[in-house]
Amino acid sequence: MMAAIFFAAVLLLSVESTRVSGRQASNLQRNALPQVFQVDDIPHSLNVSSCPGYTLSGLEETRTGLTAHLNLAGAVCNAFGKDVGDLTLEVTYDSETRLHVNIFDTANSHFTVPESVVSLPSVPQTIHKNDSDLVFNYEPSPFAFWVTRRSEPDAQPLFDTRKSSLPMTPIPPVIATDNSTALDGFPIVFEDQYLQLTSALPLDANVYGLGEVVASSGFRRDAGTNGGTGTIQTMWARDDADPIDRNIYGSHPIYMEHRFDSSTHTSQSHGVFLYSASGSDILLLTPPSSNVSLIEYRLLGGTLDFYFFSGPSPQKVVEQYGELVGLPTWQPAFGFGFHLCRWGYLNLNDTKDQVVKMREANIPLEVMWNDIDLYHAFRDFTSDPVSFPAAEMKTFIDELHANYQHYIPIVDAAVAHQVNATDIYDPYTRGAELDVFIKNPNGTEYIGQVWPGYTVFPDWFAKDTQQYWTEALRNWSQSGIDFSGVWLDMNEASSFCEGSCGTDANLSNTSPPFLLPGDPGMPITDYPEGYNSTISGPSGNITVNGTLTFGADGSTSSSLSKRGIGAGRQTGINLNVPPYTIHNGDFVELDVHNMWGLMEEKATHLALLKIQPKKRPFLISRSTFPSTGKWSGHWLGDNFSKWQYMYFSIQGVLQFQLFQIPMVGADTCGFQGNTDEELCNRWMQLSAFVPFYRNHNQRGALSQEPYRWDSVANATRTAIAVRYALLPYWYTLFANSSLFGAPPVRALFFEFPDEPELFAVDRQYLIGRDVLVTPVLTPNVSTVDGIFPGRGLVTWRDWYTHDVVNASIGTNTTLPAPLGHINVHVRDGSAILLHSKPAYTIEETRQGPFSLLVSQAADGYAFGTAYVDDGETVPPTPNATLTFKARKGALSIDTHGSFKIAQKLDTITILGTEKPTRVSVDGKVVKSWQYLDTKQKLSIGDLSVDLNGAVSIAWN
């Protein structure tokens, strides 16, 4: 049978496992699985305390690792399934920095991620285990293992499953409100329906990753100390609008731990990746009175397939993970522009009107998007013949292209099912002809329900699905929707009903099973956050009679209530049949559910390469999985127009740098609810300094295009001018990401790893190593607090004024931040190539001249690079790399590569230098320079320097 039945490798939970025991069903059982089933007659204890673990035997060592058998060390326990008695252990030293530890059933019956989905690199046979930074250690009976650094064999292990390293059990629920956090024991458990493995961590470990999640604790995860409750991170892709501390759209079972040695005042980072698509819970907990924290993996299937990355720096961990799962795709230059969308541009004239108004307001607009309003009857690969006629759409898109602008439409995961024989809808009939849709176990089509009514879903394992998908996108493009990229939504995959609800249903019912936002009966009428209409009147304005309206009733809290751990205490939620899974009464696509979005991203990327050969595909997707970055970027989902969610967007961007999906950003100004002038002002500034910059909001909500308010328009123009000036810097960072896996956006401790005061900072961040961003994230303020890394040894200069910051050492400094201003600072020792004349579009900006900003350290040192190519061709393509090196009184520019740079360098600004008496370029004296003593600033203008060869600048 075709793989729509998902290899028949479906793992189902026993109905007994939620009814009999002291331990409650896990988060995953409650929230990810629609129903549970009895698949055998074996009683399940629901308690792992009697599980015997395994004994190692048959050890065979090689120069690159070892293999061994693992056999049950005692009587079966069958805690949540049937014990697997015969396991294989494989340990491979993949490289000097990567260790692979794989525990799997010897029969190879458990599901593993297919090579066709994620292609991992082959392992060279030249690595000797003694050359590795990491060491695998083990105890044979009961089997346990721990991983150490070769350089620190006696230090606390990086990963440690030994019983002696973990707290004594049994332990009552660590999170008092959730019985599933009871810890009955820490044996290795490997059953057909349940796997468990636990490692000790340092007390209050600095752990980052394990997503996707909107974490109340911030970028640094809650390990259950210092007033925290701990973390239960469920790995199950889910269509839920950005709930706090719950699983959402993507699954990324990787974490980075950063350890600080208080005796040496130095730090090291390492990474741990569980390579599994299985639904799972990952717990970060600290039992009462324990001298360690712990991480526990609970899986519903698959294998215990771990990769360890030695770092030792945060950036190296990220890069090493990228070497395994794949480096990020090359982004086209236009993707770094400003994007505009709304669910609620109801016709072409409305869409065109936004383009005109943005131009009239002189707010740069690079890409215009359409949501599902574009569709005819909400059907993929269509345009409505009345509101978005295909011929007129083609004319509109051609006009955008003539102005160096671009167009991106949405593609939903579900394809509308044909209503009857007279219903002409080629994307369905062609898919049925090619037999590419997911099927029920009995061979009938699996029919869910999404926006267009009853729907089917592509099966990415079927042999002709790639052909089908490419044809559908090509036909759509040729019909007039000439897209420059594609927006993939609803691809967890999402369905509004339980199971194959369309089987034997009336397929002519094409209405969504609920009202849409903005429809009669579902208006979006709430005032913006913090606004009290009783006090301030009905306007909703930022000020009334000169008085700020946010919190006018005395309340200034902008936090949302945290969703309780364990959705069982929430009303209005159907725990047994959540709408976000594809399932029916006897079928759960448990093994491959988390990969559906990734497989769609890969198929779409490959399709675009066929449709637009040699052009870099631009994709933004909601559901993600390890290696998504090879194919697509990501937006942070259906967030809220709340101050708290603007703050949350920073941790989201930082998470996805670790996940190797660096092209990421939030729906600016918020998607759900009504925004206001102040929030949108601050958010439009913040998002100008993250990779993906799009304003998008909900149907029926207040319009929030940046031209709607004068203050927002002014703030946006200023922020975009800085963004576009920085495009060579952004572009170089992303080239380094695609070449080496280096994260373009970084938490402060990534660059300053030995400063513990930075380990939890996620209200500021760095772009690359050189640009520090300190946004305002709260209302009613005109200042912002921010810490300047370096503890006084680094000079930070204001981006706008070039003044040196008189920063407090190791603590916050208060900075002026009037409405419309975002604080940006430049690190000393940097040399940044800029566009000197930011224009309306990316292409027009790229056609203009360059400038160079050099911020010298105290000894005169500065360094930087810039990668340049045509901005659209899939590599390998002609390119050039410029290298800038400064010392006291001199600057050199060297260029290597085959790409000819047409634009000249017209201005050089050098900060931190003494006043010269003479300035020369390539030995020729220039007189067009100025010096400002108060800023130690030398400005050299009216240049026309060719950047295709070596250049030297001197001053004395």
Side-chain angles (χ1 to χ4, degrees):
M1 297 182 69
M2 80 172 185
I5 305 181
F6 299 102
F7 307 110
V10 182
L11 302 184
L12 305 175
L13 291 176
S14 165
V15 70
E16 296 299 320
S17 66
T18 60
R19 295 183 179 175
V20 185
S21 125
R23 182 194 282 185
Q24 285 185 348
S26 70
N27 264 15
L28 182 72
Q29 292 166 341
R30 286 197 299 267
N31 300 327
L33 299 178
Q35 297 184 28
V36 294
F37 305 92
Q38 181 72 38
V39 295
D40 54 44
D41 296 325
I42 299 173
H44 301 308
S45 67
L46 306 181
N47 187 309
V48 300
S49 61
S50 63
C51 294
Y54 289 82
T55 299
L56 183 144
S57 64
L59 178 67
E60 294 184 10
E61 296 197 53
T62 68
R63 64 189 308 274
T64 60
L66 61 85
T67 61
H69 293 293
L70 298 176
N71 301 106
L72 273 176
V76 298
C77 66
N78 296 331
F80 292 92
K82 183 178 179 181
D83 285 334
V84 178
D86 185 9
L87 305 179
T88 297
L89 167 68
E90 284 187 354
V91 177
T92 308
Y93 290 87
D94 285 358
S95 71
E96 292 180 357
T97 59
R98 186 173 77 228
L99 172 66
H100 184 196
V101 179
N102 189 10
I103 301 172
F104 58 93
D105 59 309
T106 303
N108 284 312
S109 62
H110 277 219
F111 181 83
T112 58
V113 178
E115 176 73 13
S116 63
V117 179
V118 179
S119 178
L120 300 184
S122 59
V123 178
Q125 298 300 311
T126 57
I127 301 300
H128 194 285
K129 58 188 176 185
N130 292 338
D131 297 328
S132 173
D133 294 344
L134 301 173
V135 178
F136 176 83
N137 311 272
Y138 67 92
E139 291 176 344
S141 184
F143 170 73
F145 72 91
W146 63 103
V147 177
T148 56
R149 292 188 186 276
R150 186 172 302 278
S151 58
E152 298 176 322
D154 298 324
Q156 183 171 0
L158 308 185
F159 198 83
D160 191 352
T161 69
R162 290 174 293 181
K163 182 179 179 180
S164 60
S165 301
L166 292 159
M168 294 289 291
T169 57
I171 299 170
V174 179
I175 300 174
T177 57
D178 191 334
N179 283 349
S180 76
T181 62
L183 303 173
D184 304 321
F186 301 122
I188 293 177
V189 180
F190 201 115
E191 299 176 343
D192 58 354
Q193 301 170 48
Y194 183 77
L195 286 71
Q196 179 178 303
L197 183 140
T198 311
S199 170
L201 296 173
L203 187 65
D204 193 28
N206 299 305
V207 172
Y208 310 86
L210 300 177
E212 181 179 4
V213 67
V214 178
S216 60
S217 64
F219 181 47
R220 182 181 183 271
R221 303 308 302 272
D222 179 2
T225 57
N226 300 320
T229 59
T231 294
I232 303 176
Q233 183 61 50
T234 298
M235 296 296 165
W236 188 262
R238 182 168 74 134
D239 175 5
D240 196 356
D242 285 18
I244 299 172
D245 291 330
R246 305 293 297 170
N247 57 301
I248 44 177
Y249 317 107
S251 295
H252 296 275
I254 178 175
Y255 72 86
M256 178 176 69
E257 188 199 332
H258 187 65
R259 293 190 183 179
F260 178 72
D261 186 330
S262 59
S263 62
T264 63
H265 301 285
T266 59
S267 297
Q268 296 186 98
S269 295
H270 66 274
V272 180
F273 171 46
L274 172 63
Y275 184 43
S276 173
S278 177
S280 60
D281 284 336
I282 302 177
L283 286 66
L284 280 174
L285 300 172
T286 304
S289 303
S290 174
N291 63 352
V292 296
S293 299
L294 60 85
I295 183 167
E296 182 165 283
Y297 296 85
R298 300 174 177 175
L299 291 74
L300 297 179
T303 62
L304 297 171
D305 191 1
F306 286 92
Y307 288 88
F308 300 90
F309 310 102
S310 68
S313 70
Q315 179 167 326
K316 286 297 182 184
V317 172
V318 177
E319 292 175 356
Q320 289 156 12
Y321 177 60
E323 290 172 2
L324 178 68
V325 300
L327 300 175
T329 185
W330 286 82
Q331 297 294 336
F334 80 80
F336 296 99
F338 174 63
H339 304 245
L340 182 62
C341 184
R342 184 177 184 184
W343 183 19
Y345 293 149
L346 299 181
N347 53 60
L348 176 56
N349 287 336
D350 194 9
T351 304
K352 293 168 67 173
D353 192 43
Q354 308 311 315
V355 178
V356 171
K357 289 181 176 178
M358 290 288 287
R359 176 76 71 168
E360 291 174 343
N362 195 31
I363 301 173
L365 173 62
E366 185 73 14
V367 189
M368 192 68 210
W369 297 49
N370 274 125
D371 208 314
I372 57 176
D373 313 283
L374 169 69
Y375 290 159
H376 178 47
F378 294 140
R379 290 180 165 191
D380 275 355
F381 311 117
T382 67
S383 62
D384 189 275
V386 175
S387 53
F388 291 91
E392 294 180 31
M393 282 297 296
K394 183 180 186 309
T395 300
F396 166 63
I397 296 171
D398 287 345
E399 291 171 354
L400 289 176
H401 293 166
N403 292 322
Y404 305 113
Q405 293 170 297
H406 303 268
Y407 178 78
I408 292 178
I410 193 170
V411 172
D412 276 341
V415 175
H417 195 287
Q418 188 177 30
V419 170
N420 53 45
T422 63
D423 178 18
I424 301 174
Y425 179 50
D426 185 68
Y428 171 76
T429 54
R430 179 60 171 155
E433 175 188 349
L434 292 174
D435 196 18
V436 300
F437 297 131
I438 290 174
K439 293 184 177 180
N440 293 308
N442 64 5
T444 61
E445 284 179 338
Y446 179 93
I447 303 175
Q449 189 178 32
V450 195
W451 302 119
Y454 291 108
T455 56
V456 291
F457 300 84
D459 169 19
W460 305 111
F461 290 107
K463 68 180 181 67
D464 292 324
T465 309
Q466 183 65 60
Q467 175 190 342
Y468 161 76
W469 200 245
T470 303
E471 285 181 9
L473 286 165
R474 178 183 284 114
N475 292 341
W476 198 28
S477 177
Q478 292 175 346
S479 75
I481 311 303
D482 186 13
F483 46 76
S484 296
V486 173
W487 171 21
L488 300 173
D489 195 10
M490 307 289 285
N491 57 346
E492 291 73 29
S494 178
S495 178
F496 299 154
C497 67
E498 176 190 356
S500 187
C501 59
T503 300
D504 300 324
N506 177 10
L507 299 180
S508 65
N509 179 8
T510 60
S511 300
F514 46 76
L515 294 174
L516 300 182
D519 280 352
M522 194 179 177
I524 310 300
T525 58
D526 289 347
Y527 278 96
E529 180 185 16
Y531 188 90
N532 188 325
S533 61
T534 302
I535 296 173
S536 302
S539 71
N541 291 340
I542 185 174
T543 61
V544 172
N545 297 325
T547 301
L548 290 169
T549 56
F550 187 99
D553 59 355
S555 172
T556 59
S557 172
S558 64
S559 64
L560 299 179
S561 61
K562 175 180 172 181
R563 295 188 67 176
I565 294 177
R569 279 156 293 288
Q570 297 176 19
T571 59
I573 296 177
N574 190 328
L575 303 179
N576 291 324
V577 285
Y580 60 89
T581 55
I582 297 175
H583 60 83
N584 66 18
D586 62 356
F587 174 66
V588 182
E589 29 80 86
L590 180 60
D591 288 324
V592 297
H593 169 81
N594 286 334
M595 303 189 304
W596 202 96
L598 164 65
M599 297 180 75
E600 183 192 39
E601 291 144 13
K602 181 178 180 180
T604 307
H605 185 107
L606 296 176
L608 293 193
L609 287 176
K610 290 283 189 181
I611 297 167
Q612 302 170 342
K614 299 185 179 181
K615 285 194 174 182
R616 301 171 193 174
F618 184 81
L619 303 180
I620 294 294
S621 177
R622 192 167 73 177
S623 185
T624 58
F625 188 73
S627 85
T628 281
K630 288 179 62 176
W631 314 108
S632 178
H634 173 65
W635 98 102
L636 295 171
D638 297 342
N639 63 359
F640 293 83
S641 296
K642 304 283 186 181
W643 288 89
Q644 187 181 26
Y645 274 83
M646 178 166 60
Y647 156 64
F648 285 151
S649 72
I650 298 175
Q651 63 165 274
V653 170
L654 292 174
Q655 279 180 38
F656 278 84
Q657 307 305 300
L658 174 57
F659 302 155
Q660 284 289 354
I661 310 171
M663 178 53 79
V664 59
D667 278 349
T668 302
C669 302
F671 175 74
Q672 299 193 80
N674 290 315
T675 194
D676 65 18
E677 181 180 357
E678 184 184 13
L679 175 61
C680 201
N681 186 306
R682 297 297 194 187
W683 210 332
M684 285 296 296
Q685 296 171 72
L686 167 61
S687 289
F689 295 90
V690 302
F692 178 54
Y693 185 18
R694 183 182 73 167
N695 182 314
H696 175 51
N697 75 317
Q698 183 181 45
R699 187 173 185 262
L702 294 174
S703 298
Q704 61 185 42
E705 296 84 4
Y707 62 78
R708 299 283 177 178
W709 305 271
D710 288 344
S711 78
V712 178
N714 289 331
T716 303
R717 283 189 288 265
T718 300
I720 290 181
V722 178
R723 179 183 179 89
Y724 284 18
L726 278 166
L727 280 174
Y729 183 67
W730 275 114
Y731 197 72
T732 300
L733 290 171
F734 270 79
N736 287 333
S737 179
S738 297
L739 289 167
F740 311 113
V745 181
R746 301 167 192 176
L748 272 56
F749 79 89
F750 279 31
E751 289 292 325
F752 299 88
D754 300 331
E755 300 178 22
E757 63 270 22
L758 305 180
F759 295 170
V761 171
D762 58 6
R763 303 179 77 87
Q764 298 170 269
Y765 58 92
L766 288 160
I767 304 173
R769 66 175 301 276
D770 297 327
V771 177
L772 174 64
V773 182
T774 308
V776 171
L777 301 170
T778 55
N780 287 3
V781 298
S782 57
T783 62
V784 65
D785 289 340
I787 193 168
F788 285 86
R791 293 182 171 177
L793 300 178
V794 174
T795 299
W796 294 94
R797 295 181 172 92
D798 185 282
W799 167 270
Y800 308 95
T801 68
H802 297 156
D803 289 334
V804 173
V805 178
N806 183 19
S808 302
I809 296 176
T811 61
N812 279 335
T813 298
T814 299
L815 303 168
L819 190 66
H821 178 74
I822 182 170
N823 276 276
V824 181
H825 292 86
V826 180
R827 182 180 181 176
D828 70 5
S830 62
I832 303 175
L833 187 68
L834 306 169
H835 288 306
S836 64
K837 296 179 181 179
Y840 194 79
T841 65
I842 299 296
E843 178 59 28
E844 291 165 310
T845 299
R846 283 169 56 90
Q847 290 174 5
F850 290 109
S851 63
L852 182 65
L853 177 64
V854 179
S855 181
Q856 291 186 301
D859 62 359
Y861 172 83
F863 178 83
T865 63
Y867 176 93
V868 184
D869 63 16
D870 67 7
E872 65 175 13
T873 305
V874 176
T877 185
N879 63 84
T881 297
L882 292 78
T883 302
F884 312 101
K885 296 179 181 178
R887 61 184 190 277
K888 283 191 175 181
L891 168 69
S892 66
I893 305 173
D894 292 302
T895 303
H896 298 280
S898 58
F899 183 78
K900 183 172 177 56
I901 302 172
Q903 295 74 28
K904 306 298 185 187
L905 176 67
D906 71 354
T907 305
I908 301 173
T909 301
I910 300 168
L911 306 176
T913 187
E914 297 177 355
K915 183 177 182 179
T917 58
R918 179 178 182 273
V919 177
S920 65
V921 176
D922 287 336
K924 296 180 180 179
V925 174
V926 296
K927 297 183 178 180
S928 54
W929 61 270
Q930 295 179 327
Y931 183 80
L932 189 57
D933 186 67
T934 57
K935 301 179 189 292
Q936 293 188 307
K937 175 180 176 179
L938 172 63
S939 300
I940 310 170
D942 295 331
L943 301 172
S944 184
V945 174
D946 187 339
L947 291 174
N948 291 291
V951 181
S952 63
I953 298 94
W955 61 97
N956 56 36

